[in-house]
């Protein structure tokens, strides 16, 4: 297989595998049906989402050790089996405990491992416009949610929430099997053996600065992605508007991630980061100052777009600042910030809603976070400093 075809096969494999895993970002569609079915509170359901991101992040951080020892095809099959089993367990849950075990504990690790495997494989095969390529890969989660949200909404109405989760498990397993075939055919080498650069090394101060910028954007962005439908309804929107808003917002986040990767190929990372956080800040202020269903959709979209741009920026910046052999390692460590963000403001927002019946306080917190994000992003280096 030629290098060009290998790149295409790798990108297609990453697409097929990560789109169904990206339905994690459509979790808000399951909130009310599962709360009614299990007798769960909003804070408990927010905890399940947060736990899923924790186990997903653990999978990400084990991935560099796994892809050095096992083929990407075998990892894809294993991830499909483990995550599919988690969804089937969640689908049959009679209580919040079993739902938490299936969705929160078992679904996440396979998703995390395969996400980093896909990113590492893409960076081993794509030579030009790596920021754009990495922005595309990280866009697959919100794009998966964009496709999944309306399908879930229809399926829940037609068949119920439990059959919908079980069907998602089947789709995840099938997608991972297809990705395994593509990765095997491409004969992907997960590390460049001819390079003197190693896959381990000191991350340095730039890593922690980039991590801070990413964490601050993700704290606000994941609140939107995990609870978008519920937030729109809390602002007076009907169920159809809530599902439609979730679809639109996740699509906007996906497009913004691609844009963020492209922007970091052409502009200083600091400027991109400041602009992205300013976009999210505008959304948070709209939500707090003009509380209507329409402005809720607009405000949530702006917060999501800002977060999406920072996600694409972060992936593209890793490709600039570190050698391609280090991409999976650096990305897996960076996504610890994503995990921390998921169990911070989203969980707090759920708890505040349970107490007050409103998301207003959470949006004020999000606005403050984005101001801090703008100040932090200004310090990002504007030159390639691989290995810093």
């Amino acid at each position: 297989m030629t290098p060009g075809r290998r790149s295409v096969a790798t990108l297609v494999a990453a697409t097929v595998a990560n789109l169904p895993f990206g339905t994690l970002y459509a979790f808000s569609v399951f909130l009310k049906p599962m709360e009614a079915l299990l007798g769960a509170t909003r804070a408990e359901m927010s905890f399940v989402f947060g736990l899923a991101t924790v186990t997903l992040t653990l999978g990400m951080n084990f991935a560099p050790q796994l892809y050095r020892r096992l083929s990407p095809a075998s990892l894809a099959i294993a991830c499909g089996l483990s995550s599919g089993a988690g969804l089937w367990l969640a689908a049959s849950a009679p209580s919040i405990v079993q739902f938490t075990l299936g969705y929160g504990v078992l679904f996440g690790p396979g998703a995390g491992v395969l996400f980093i495997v896909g990113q590492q494989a893409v960076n081993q095969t794509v030579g030009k416009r790596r920021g754009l390529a990495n922005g595309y890969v990280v866009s697959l989660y919100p794009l998966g949610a964009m496709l999944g949200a309306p399908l879930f909404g229809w399926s829940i109405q037609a068949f119920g929430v439990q059959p919908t989760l079980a069907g998602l498990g089947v789709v995840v397993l099938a997608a991972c099997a297809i990705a395994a075939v593509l990765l095997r055919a491409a004969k992907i080498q997960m590390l460049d053996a001819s390079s003197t650069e190693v896959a381990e090394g000191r991350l340095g101060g730039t890593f922690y600065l980039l991590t801070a910028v990413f964490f601050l954007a993700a704290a606000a962005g994941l609140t939107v992605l995990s609870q978008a439908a519920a937030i729109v309804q809390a602002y007076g929107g009907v169920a159809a508007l809530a599902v439609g808003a979730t679809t639109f917002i996740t699509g906007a986040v996906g497009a913004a991630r691609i844009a963020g990767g492209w922007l970091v190929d052409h502009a200083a990372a600091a400027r991109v980061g400041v602009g992205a956080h300013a976009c999210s800040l505008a959304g948070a202020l709209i939500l707090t100052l003009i509380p209507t269903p329409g402005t809720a959709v607009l405000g949530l979209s702006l917060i999501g777009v800002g977060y999406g741009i920072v996600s694409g920026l972060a992936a593209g910046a890793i490709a600039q600042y570190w050698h391609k052999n280090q991409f999976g390692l650096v990305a897996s460590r960076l996504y610890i910030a994503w995990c921390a963000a998921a169990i911070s403001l989203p969980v707090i927002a759920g708890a505040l809603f349970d107490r007050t019946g409103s998301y207003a306080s959470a949006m004020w917190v999000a606005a403050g976070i984005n101001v801090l994000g703008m100040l932090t992003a200004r310090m990002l280096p504007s030159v390639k400093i691989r290995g810093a």
Side-chain angles (χ1 to χ4, degrees):
M1 187 177 287
T2 64
R5 290 183 177 179
R6 186 174 291 110
S7 298
V8 171
T10 306
L11 285 167
V12 172
T15 302
V16 171
N18 285 308
L19 282 176
F21 281 125
T23 58
L24 174 72
Y25 279 166
F27 184 75
S28 64
V29 178
F30 294 113
L31 283 177
K32 286 201 168 183
M34 290 307 299
E35 287 171 357
L37 181 66
L38 302 177
T41 67
R42 185 62 50 82
E44 288 173 332
M45 292 297 293
S46 298
F47 173 77
V48 174
F49 175 80
L51 184 60
T53 63
V54 170
T55 57
L56 188 148
T57 306
L58 288 173
M60 289 179 174
N61 279 272
F62 277 109
Q65 286 73 41
L66 293 173
Y67 65 60
R68 294 191 189 100
R69 296 169 174 82
L70 300 172
S71 70
S74 62
L75 287 173
I77 293 295
C79 291
L81 288 170
S82 63
S83 294
L87 288 168
W88 297 324
L89 185 64
S92 62
S95 66
I96 188 65
V97 175
Q98 184 174 322
F99 181 75
T100 301
L101 177 62
Y103 196 97
V105 177
L106 296 180
F107 174 59
V113 169
L114 200 53
F115 185 70
I116 294 298
V117 166
Q119 284 193 306
Q120 179 73 6
V122 165
N123 280 275
Q124 291 297 311
T125 58
V126 175
K128 296 180 179 180
R129 298 180 180 177
R130 293 176 67 194
L132 177 60
N134 281 294
Y136 169 74
V137 173
V138 298
S139 78
L140 294 171
Y141 265 44
L143 290 178
M146 179 190 73
L147 297 173
L151 288 174
F152 290 161
W154 166 80
S155 180
I156 289 169
Q157 290 292 324
F159 306 107
V161 66
Q162 291 178 313
T164 299
L165 282 168
L168 177 59
V170 173
V171 172
V172 164
L173 180 57
C176 290
I178 295 170
V181 171
L182 290 168
L183 291 169
R184 184 178 178 83
K187 298 180 179 179
I188 301 297
Q189 297 296 319
M190 298 298 284
L191 296 172
D192 181 5
S194 66
S195 173
T196 58
E197 296 274 357
V198 295
E200 301 281 357
R202 184 176 64 88
L203 296 177
T206 298
F207 168 79
Y208 296 106
L209 186 60
L210 183 63
T211 297
V213 174
F214 182 58
F215 167 80
L216 293 167
L222 289 176
T223 301
V224 169
L225 289 171
S226 66
Q227 301 180 47
I231 293 174
V232 171
Q233 289 179 305
Y235 277 72
V238 298
L241 176 63
V243 173
T246 301
T247 304
F248 175 77
I249 290 166
T250 51
V253 173
R257 288 186 171 191
I258 297 173
W262 179 84
L263 284 168
V264 82
D265 279 336
H266 297 86
R271 294 177 62 187
V272 178
V274 170
H277 274 285
C279 179
S280 291
L281 173 61
L285 292 175
I286 288 173
L287 276 164
T288 54
L289 298 176
I290 315 175
T292 68
T295 55
V297 175
L298 174 61
L300 293 172
S301 299
L302 289 173
I303 295 173
V305 166
Y307 164 55
I309 292 174
V310 171
S311 296
L313 155 70
I318 293 172
Q320 287 189 356
Y321 296 154
W322 288 274
H323 187 270
K324 63 182 182 180
N325 277 359
Q326 295 177 290
F327 191 97
L329 175 70
V330 176
S332 66
R333 300 298 185 265
L334 177 76
Y335 291 128
I336 294 174
W338 178 81
C339 171
I343 59 176
S344 59
L345 186 56
V347 175
I348 292 171
L352 288 172
F353 177 83
D354 285 338
R355 176 173 294 183
T356 66
S358 170
Y359 283 97
S361 299
M363 291 304 106
W364 279 116
V365 175
I369 285 173
N370 288 130
V371 171
L372 183 58
M374 292 174 65
L375 297 174
T376 307
R378 293 181 59 191
M379 296 184 283
L380 283 172
S382 59
V383 295
K384 299 179 182 180
I385 54 170
R386 185 190 305 165

